[in-house]
């Protein structure tokens, strides 16, 4: 599973993409939801939990907390940006 | 009218644009909020292309750090108000355009009144409170708005509240707090990035008023300048976000917007008339000692000491806050406002830099 990072999530995680190998604690789970992914990432990167609004896209579509994801999906973490 | 038909010939000869779309541009009114990195390309292109009425909301003055991305302004303009320079440049670029300037920041008190006067709104603001305010006002007034936002090497673009499509809150329901995401001028941006996103915003605004092509409503474009990637995310309307009937009581600290500004010219008039003003210079002691304006007679209380030294202030009289450019004094206004909402507070717009530019 590949996670593309935008805006401040890139700064928090320290790179522009994040790979989740299927052997990892999260990757090996069979049925996963966006909510679980957020919780897992929140544990690894506590700063992420502070974001009031963080959109998650699965295969280029906005996903809700209960959207199911699998290991072949492309995920994007999209916080709002404010600069002008 | 006939004299000017030639002017737009390069776009009216386009089969899918034609004189009809040109006529629609002429009949359109578009409001641009913010004349900064995003707003400037939007203003320049809409004005060049023949949009009949263009509104601009802006109250900042031009600072040296603006010039790497706000390409309408020159070194000679430093210290001048953006709105004044915008009016001057756009009028000479296209004298047919009716340009309506709003010399203010957009606030919850004026947003509905200003936005109601235009067909399409372009959000070129630089902070979340204004972005959420624009969303809510546009939802209430049923106006489409073209949103662009940038950070670092990245940009985001979408059209919200258009033809039954989703709103900003459908994508980002809750406004971030000031601490969690870099805001205003604190975050870096590569100069050309707002130029790219602003130009895309101008294109979307033109598409909406002329009806050509497909607007990017229901989709969010994520642009990354470092690898030239353009990724589009689809998202849908959350109908509860259309139920808004009035603006929120507050849009957070409205960090760049809410303070009451006063012009340096007005300060000078008062001083020249012999009125004693309570002016607090919130720059550091070193800055204050290196240079302070002899005519102003300010008391120096550095910003980081302000909270602990309020005893030195007379809350019964208006307090005028001063710094080098107007940014720290704005924060000072917010700090004092929080302590006591009854004090009459003014941020001296443009600060010491503005005083100096008037007496060059």
């Amino acid at each position: 599973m590949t996670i593309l990072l935008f805006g401040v999530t890139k700064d928090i995680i320290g790179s522009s993409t994040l790979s989740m190998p299927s052997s990892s604690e999260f990757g090996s789970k069979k049925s996963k939801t966006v909510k679980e992914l957020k919780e897992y990432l929140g544990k690894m990167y506590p700063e992420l939990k502070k974001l009031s609004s963080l959109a998650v896209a699965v295969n280029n579509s906005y996903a809700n907390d209960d959207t199911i994801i699998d290991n072949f999906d492309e995920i994007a973490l999209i916080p709002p940006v404010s600069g002008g | 009218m006939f004299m000017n038909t030639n002017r737009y010939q390069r776009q009216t000869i386009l089969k899918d644009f034609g004189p009809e779309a040109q006529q629609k541009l002429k009949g359109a009114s578009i409001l641009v909020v913010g004349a900064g990195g995003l707003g400037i390309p939007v203003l320049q292109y809409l004005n060049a292309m023949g949009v009949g009425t263009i509104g601009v909301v802006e109250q900042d003055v031009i600072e040296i750090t603006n010039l790497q991305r706000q390409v309408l302004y020159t070194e000679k303009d430093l210290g001048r108000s953006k709105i004044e320079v915008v009016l001057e440049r756009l009028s000479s670029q296209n004298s047919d355009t009716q340009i309506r300037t709003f010399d203010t920041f957009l606030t919850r008190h004026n947003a509905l009144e200003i936005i109601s006067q235009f067909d399409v709104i372009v959000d070129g603001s630089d902070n979340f409170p204004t972005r959420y305010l624009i969303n809510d006002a546009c939802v209430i007034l049923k106006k489409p708005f073209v949103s662009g936002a940038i950070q670092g090497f990245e940009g985001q673009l979408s059209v919200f509240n258009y033809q039954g499509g989703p709103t900003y809150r459908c994508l980002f329901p809750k406004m971030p707090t000031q601490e969690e995401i870099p805001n205003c001028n604190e975050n870096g941006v590569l100069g050309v990035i707002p130029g790219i996103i602003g130009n895309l915003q101008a294109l979307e605004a033109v598409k909406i008023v002329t009806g050509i092509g497909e607007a990017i409503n229901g989709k969010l474009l994520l642009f990354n300048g470092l690898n030239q990637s353009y990724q589009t995310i689809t998202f849908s309307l959350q109908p509860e976000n259309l139920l808004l009937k009035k603006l929120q009581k507050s849009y957070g600290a409205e960090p760049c917007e809410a303070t009451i500004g006063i012009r340096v010219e007005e300060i000078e008039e008062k001083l020249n008339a012999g009125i004693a003003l309570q002016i607090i210079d919130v720059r550091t002691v070193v800055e204050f000692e290196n240079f302070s304006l002899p005519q102003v007679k300010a008391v120096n209380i550095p910003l980081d000491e302000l909270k602990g030294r309020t005893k030195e202030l007379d809350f019964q009289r208006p307090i005028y806050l001063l710094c080098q450019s107007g940014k720290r004094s704005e924060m000072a206004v917010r700090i004092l406002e929080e302590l006591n909402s009854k004090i009459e507070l003014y941020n001296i717009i443009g600060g010491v830099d503005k005083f100096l530019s008037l007496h060059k």
Side-chain angles (χ1 to χ4, degrees):
Chain A
M1 185 188 305
T2 306
I3 303 174
L4 306 175
L5 307 169
F6 293 91
V8 72
T9 65
K10 200 181 270 183
D11 303 329
I12 291 173
I13 291 172
S15 68
S16 58
T17 59
L18 184 65
S19 285
M20 301 272 268
S22 50
S23 59
S24 72
E25 183 204 322
F26 183 79
S28 61
K29 275 192 68 186
K30 270 195 187 124
S31 168
K32 296 167 278 243
T33 63
V34 165
K35 188 170 183 230
E36 287 170 311
L37 173 69
K38 276 184 173 176
E39 281 164 4
Y40 178 75
L41 290 173
K43 259 188 267 168
M44 288 170 69
Y45 307 96
E47 290 286 306
L48 286 180
K49 285 190 289 193
K50 292 186 190 161
L51 303 177
S52 318
S53 272
L54 177 63
V56 177
V58 178
N59 300 327
N60 295 325
S61 292
Y62 183 92
N64 297 314
D65 274 356
D66 48 9
T67 303
I68 306 283
I69 42 182
D70 77 35
N71 285 332
F72 304 103
D73 287 334
E74 185 189 77
I75 315 288
L77 297 188
I78 309 158
V81 297
S82 72
Chain B
M1 180 63 209
F2 282 102
M3 267 175 63
N4 286 336
T5 35
N6 244 353
R7 176 171 187 143
Y8 305 110
Q9 190 242 8
R10 293 296 169 88
Q11 57 200 35
T12 52
I13 56 168
L14 286 166
K15 187 164 64 65
D16 294 324
F17 194 82
E20 299 78 19
Q22 190 63 48
Q23 199 55 41
K24 285 181 187 163
L25 277 191
K26 180 148 183 60
S29 63
I30 301 179
L31 178 71
V32 181
V33 181
L38 293 168
I40 282 169
V42 176
L43 289 165
Q44 287 183 288
Y45 272 103
L46 293 182
N47 190 48
M49 291 173 72
V51 171
T53 304
I54 298 178
V56 198
V57 185
E58 178 62 86
Q59 202 180 32
D60 264 338
V61 294
I62 298 159
E63 293 174 41
I64 187 90
T65 54
N66 296 152
L67 300 186
Q68 57 71 271
R69 67 190 185 288
Q70 302 180 17
V71 296
L72 185 71
Y73 307 132
T74 69
E75 291 173 6
K76 285 203 183 97
D77 301 322
L78 293 177
R80 291 182 69 193
S81 75
K82 287 185 180 177
I83 203 95
E84 185 186 307
V85 177
V86 163
L87 179 63
E88 198 176 283
R89 301 281 145 79
L90 293 191
S91 307
S92 63
Q93 185 192 20
N94 191 341
S95 56
D96 288 338
T97 314
Q98 195 199 338
I99 295 160
R100 303 192 47 205
T101 54
F102 297 88
D103 186 359
T104 172
F105 288 120
L106 200 72
T107 68
R108 56 180 298 278
H109 304 290
N110 62 23
L112 293 170
E113 199 218 319
I114 295 175
I115 288 176
S116 66
Q117 302 170 46
F118 295 85
D119 305 329
V120 177
I121 315 306
V122 179
D123 183 355
S125 67
D126 64 358
N127 63 87
F128 287 120
T130 307
R131 292 181 177 280
Y132 280 82
L133 173 63
I134 290 173
N135 176 77
D136 293 358
C138 285
V139 167
I140 291 168
L141 296 167
K142 301 187 165 55
K143 306 273 183 186
F145 72 104
V146 183
S147 171
I150 47 159
Q151 183 184 317
F153 305 97
E154 290 177 24
Q156 297 183 355
L157 172 83
S158 191
V159 166
F160 295 113
N161 203 39
Y162 180 53
Q163 292 184 334
T167 73
Y168 188 50
R169 286 186 188 271
C170 299
L171 197 55
F172 304 118
K174 273 171 70 185
M175 183 164 85
T177 60
Q178 232 185 305
E179 293 75 38
E180 62 188 71
I181 286 173
N183 214 340
C184 300
N185 296 323
E186 290 131 38
N187 53 338
V189 60
L190 194 71
V192 67
I193 303 288
I196 294 163
I197 299 296
N199 276 296
L200 292 175
Q201 286 180 278
L203 174 60
E204 291 303 312
V206 166
K207 279 155 61 181
I208 292 171
V209 298
T210 60
I212 64 159
E214 281 171 46
I216 192 172
N217 50 329
K219 294 175 197 160
L220 174 72
L221 173 74
L222 297 162
F223 167 69
N224 181 349
L226 288 181
N227 55 10
Q228 288 287 15
S229 70
Y230 299 76
Q231 193 160 6
T232 309
I233 306 294
T234 57
F235 62 104
S236 44
L237 175 70
Q238 307 297 317
E240 70 269 18
N241 290 328
L242 293 181
L243 300 177
L244 269 175
K245 289 284 176 283
K246 53 184 184 189
L247 297 176
Q248 290 179 11
K249 286 212 173 64
S250 154
Y251 282 81
E254 300 195 29
C256 307
E257 314 300 315
T259 60
I260 298 177
I262 184 162
R263 296 203 173 287
V264 161
E265 290 88 336
E266 281 176 67
I267 294 282
E268 291 204 320
E269 265 172 41
K270 285 181 200 284
L271 292 171
N272 290 339
I275 302 170
L277 302 177
Q278 182 176 206
I279 300 177
I280 308 299
D281 188 329
V282 297
R283 295 177 300 156
T284 63
V285 175
V286 175
E287 282 175 289
F288 184 76
E289 278 169 3
N290 277 347
F291 184 83
S292 56
L293 298 154
Q295 71 271 36
V296 171
K297 297 197 187 68
V299 174
N300 179 219
I301 305 181
L303 184 63
D304 54 2
E305 295 175 20
L306 189 61
K307 263 190 186 164
R309 290 176 60 181
T310 50
K311 280 198 183 123
E312 295 168 49
L313 305 171
D314 179 357
F315 285 177
Q316 306 304 316
R317 294 169 58 212
I319 301 175
Y320 299 87
L321 281 311
L322 175 73
C323 71
Q324 195 70 30
S325 72
K327 288 266 182 285
R328 278 175 287 173
S329 53
E330 198 170 77
M331 292 170 76
V333 169
R334 277 190 282 133
I335 289 171
L336 294 176
E337 228 164 29
E338 247 174 58
L339 289 176
N340 183 340
S341 61
K342 294 201 176 77
I343 323 171
E344 200 180 328
L345 297 164
Y346 297 94
N347 174 31
I348 301 177
I349 300 166
V352 172
D353 289 343
K354 180 69 188 180
F355 275 101
L356 291 175
S357 77
L358 288 180
H359 301 283
K360 267 196 285 217

